[in-house]
Amino acid sequence: MRKDIVKLTLLLLTASVITAGCAGSNAPANGGNNGNSGGTGTETNGENNTQPEDEPFEITIRHTQVGESKKFRLAMLEDVVKQTEADIPGLTIKLDGVDSEVNRKEKLRGEMAAGKPPEVFDVFGSPDAALFAKEGLMLDLTPIIAELGIQDQFTTLDPFTYEGKVYGLPIGGSVEGYFYNKQYFEDKGLTIPKTLSELEQIAEAIKTDGKIPFAQSSKDAWIPLMTTNNLWSYYGGPEITYGFKSGETKWTDPSVVEGVAKHQEWVQKGYFKKGELGFEYADMRNQIITGEAMMMMDGSWANSVFRDPEQAGDMVGKIGYFNMPPVKEGDPVVVMQDANNGYGFSAAVADDPQKLAAVKAFIGNMWTEEMQLRGLEEDGVLPAMKIDLEKMKTASEDPLMQDIFAAVSEIDISFPAFDALVQADVNTALSIGIQQIIGGEGTPESMLETVQSAQESANAAEQ
């Protein structure tokens, strides 16, 4: 798996220069795709050219493009929907927008347990796609992407691959790092830190100046866990998370404790705004936009907010981006980087020729070079498909995007987010634990003992 991550890093550096979820985020190509007939979707399978009857029918697309910050990716999805409806006689597509966390942890799980997911749904690749595919609930896309001629056009399909078959497609790539108030840094003579110690020195200077060093909202635990995940991957090494599920490593390892303790130390030093456990995701971005906070750990996808005058106002052009620096100068730059957010399809679609044709048309219209470049230009989403670097630079000359491109080029080692590698119950235990740490309850040691217990139970259940 380590080789796969290194391969993904190289591909993103050379072909697509961060992330999904999920989160995680692009115009139709008039039914075409790389010279293939991908957008028409009129064939029911690779051997039968008979078009389904033109009777009215409906499919549902569950998406997570809700809220002002996701308006660009929603507009792209709506354009693909219109094109797909035009391609397939009788088709009506219903869009069902649900918050990303609610979809992943509640609604989709419930639908899968009942065996009745929507025809198309936002899904997290690893580990969710494999779990659902193992139960026979997801459509095997392997023959479809081969028919459309796009099977080799992705930077990676590993998060959506189970037993050699593809059960979902990533919509974009992402990295995690710090957005910062570039104007403030220039005015105060601050420079991008080269070590964690220098980052802390900057945080102290910002705090002394009466500002908040780090914007953070922790009502949803995945948000602060971006910081924690990157910290323990520096202290323990980016490979350590791979071993939790196999039992080769433990959450109670001193280096993991050290990473969580560092996050706790930053909370105790007042580097985050008080009351963060009650703040929604959008709140921390507003802390940056209003000038209340000067830095913010987030996924590269957040750049769309800071490039939009309607959301960022006069802060457009004043926000930069850098990687979390290593513990010591000269150490490798280690960053979370993946292509794990995308769409999956219900296995039941295979039994309905009309719906199968609609799914093929949707895939043909959604996964095109044109749409990937539009996603980069309008929404700042790094491509999930192999796109020529010069085309990418032409598509987005925005200074903030150039900062992100530069940060990606500096990555020495990348790794997937922890929740792509461990079971859902472990994710839940870690989420509760980090919120307790932020709230001043318990210690990193006791919190991680609970997480390790959840890990061992989850591992035993899979044997």
Side-chain angles (χ1 to χ4, degrees), residues 420-448:
L421 299 174
V422 301
Q423 302 91 330
D425 289 347
V426 180
N427 186 1
T428 298
L430 190 60
S431 296
I432 294 172
I434 195 61
Q435 290 178 323
Q436 290 174 334
I437 289 294
I438 291 171
E441 303 175 25
T443 66
E445 291 85 356
S446 61
M447 169 259 203
L448 289 168

Side-chain angles (χ1 to χ4, degrees), residues 105-339:
K105 296 183 178 180
E106 299 175 25
K107 195 159 189 177
L108 187 58
R109 286 183 188 176
E111 292 165 336
M112 287 295 185
K116 295 182 179 181
E119 287 83 3
V120 184
F121 46 87
D122 185 286
V123 67
F124 205 68
S126 175
D128 296 10
L131 293 175
F132 300 146
K134 184 178 180 180
E135 298 301 320
L137 296 167
M138 294 187 70
L139 180 67
D140 177 9
L141 302 179
T142 312
I144 294 176
I145 59 176
E147 178 184 327
L148 299 177
I150 59 173
Q151 72 272 31
D152 298 321
Q153 297 303 309
F154 293 87
T155 58
T156 182
L157 288 174
D158 289 347
F160 296 89
T161 300
Y162 173 68
E163 294 188 342
K165 297 181 179 180
V166 178
Y167 289 96
L169 297 174
I171 200 63
S174 64
V175 292
E176 290 174 356
Y178 284 104
F179 292 89
Y180 73 105
N181 188 319
K182 187 176 291 188
Q183 185 66 56
Y184 180 87
F185 268 52
E186 291 176 358
D187 292 344
K188 299 297 180 178
L190 302 174
T191 58
I192 294 176
K194 296 180 180 179
T195 64
L196 277 178
S197 177
E198 289 183 9
L199 178 63
E200 291 177 306
Q201 291 172 19
I202 291 172
E204 283 291 344
I206 294 171
K207 180 184 174 185
T208 300
D209 193 39
K211 303 288 185 180
I212 298 168
F214 301 116
Q216 186 162 279
S217 298
S218 300
K219 187 173 184 179
D220 290 324
W222 69 268
I223 300 170
L225 280 171
M226 285 189 283
T227 295
T228 327
N229 192 181
N230 281 275
L231 282 171
W232 84 58
S233 295
Y234 264 132
Y235 284 108
E239 304 91 348
I240 195 166
T241 311
Y242 292 102
F244 295 145
K245 193 171 182 178
S246 66
E248 296 177 9
T249 57
K250 296 182 181 296
W251 287 98
T252 50
D253 186 284
S255 58
V256 182
V257 174
E258 189 174 10
V260 175
K262 177 58 69 175
H263 191 160
Q264 181 187 53
E265 178 186 330
W266 288 357
V267 173
Q268 293 172 340
K269 286 184 174 181
Y271 290 171
F272 308 101
K273 184 176 180 179
K274 290 183 178 180
E276 65 177 275
L277 288 171
F279 299 153
E280 303 280 357
Y281 185 35
D283 294 331
M284 71 176 188
R285 295 174 177 180
N286 288 334
Q287 291 175 31
I288 293 288
I289 292 170
T290 60
E292 188 176 15
M294 295 300 117
M295 296 181 287
M296 178 186 78
M297 167 64 76
D298 205 346
S300 55
W301 60 80
N303 74 80
S304 61
V305 172
F306 301 125
R307 296 189 297 119
D308 179 15
E310 292 186 10
Q311 299 181 74
D314 60 7
M315 286 302 293
V316 172
K318 298 178 181 178
I319 303 296
Y321 182 91
F322 62 85
N323 294 316
M324 176 183 278
V327 178
K328 295 182 295 183
E329 187 170 358
D331 283 352
V333 174
V334 176
V335 174
M336 195 301 299
Q337 181 179 36
D338 71 6

Side-chain angles (χ1 to χ4, degrees), residues 49-68:
N49 294 330
T50 303
Q51 184 165 339
E53 296 179 7
D54 297 349
E55 296 179 359
F57 71 105
E58 180 180 276
I59 68 169
T60 296
I61 296 178
R62 165 75 49 67
H63 68 90
T64 58
Q65 317 313 329
V66 296
E68 181 70 11

Side-chain angles (χ1 to χ4, degrees), residues 386-407:
K386 300 172 184 177
I387 305 294
D388 181 78
L389 180 58
E390 293 306 314
K391 289 183 179 180
M392 292 180 58
K393 290 181 177 179
T394 301
S396 183
E397 298 178 351
D398 179 84
L400 177 52
M401 287 306 304
Q402 293 300 315
D403 279 358
I404 293 173
F405 292 157

